[in-house]
Amino acid sequence: MTEAGVRIALHVTARITFVFFLCAFTGNALRDLWPGRFSLRLSRNRDWFLIAMAAAHTFHLAAIIAFFQVVGWSKFHPVTLLGGGFVYLLIYALAAIAIMRLRRGSHGALGGSPRLEATALYLIWLIFALSFFPRIVSGWPVYSLLAVAALAGLVIRIACLLRHKRALATAA
């Protein structure tokens, strides 16, 4: 495979991963804010989106390895391994939690750890955002679209959190 082909594979696998991530990230919040057939389906399939995200990102990992085989491992930076490795651990942890939830037939966070799961999702969101936002200035419209989608996902999650807090305050 050529360097150009590997770069295309890197871009495609990252974007596919992001789409699955965004569905999982916003599904429950969309269901709470705007109940409807689409949002209910996103929420109901959240665990499957997390598993699909892990699968897509595994293909991304294969593309990363192929990239360094093509351009040479001397271009590899150990700091990238630490940061990227941490994100892969988060993604695979979320997928493992999703698989366990699907096997048990439950839909809530596993073992009373909704904060841990939410923290992992927000950290993964941050990595995507840090990847997309700086590239807006490069003039590639796709990065503007991805950055807007990432920002919209965050706004949806925050709006849902604020709505829940207001409801709790009103009930108290």
Side-chain angles (χ1 to χ4, degrees), residues 47 50-55 89-102:
D47 288 331
L50 290 171
I51 294 166
M53 176 184 70
L89 287 176
L90 291 176
I91 289 170
Y92 290 140
L94 287 173
I97 290 168
I99 290 168
M100 287 187 267
R101 241 191 328 252
L102 286 168

Side-chain angles (χ1 to χ4, degrees), residues 6-25:
V6 173
R7 285 183 185 275
I8 289 171
L10 285 166
H11 291 297
V12 169
T13 55
R15 292 169 188 166
I16 289 170
T17 299
F18 177 69
V19 169
F20 288 134
F21 167 77
L22 197 59
C23 290
F25 186 68

Side-chain angles (χ1 to χ4, degrees), residues 96-164:
I97 290 168
I99 290 168
M100 287 187 267
R101 241 191 328 252
L102 286 168
R103 291 185 72 174
R104 284 196 337 226
S106 64
H107 298 288
L110 180 69
S113 61
R115 283 194 176 145
L116 178 66
E117 202 171 325
T119 301
L121 286 169
Y122 282 111
L123 285 172
I124 294 168
W125 177 89
L126 180 63
I127 298 303
F128 277 118
L130 289 174
S131 175
F132 297 150
F133 287 118
R135 291 183 174 150
I136 291 173
V137 295
S138 70
W140 285 83
V142 71
Y143 287 112
S144 297
L145 179 66
L146 294 170
V148 167
L151 190 57
L154 182 64
V155 167
I156 289 166
R157 291 276 303 223
I158 291 172
C160 185
L161 284 172
L162 293 175
R163 183 176 184 189
H164 282 291

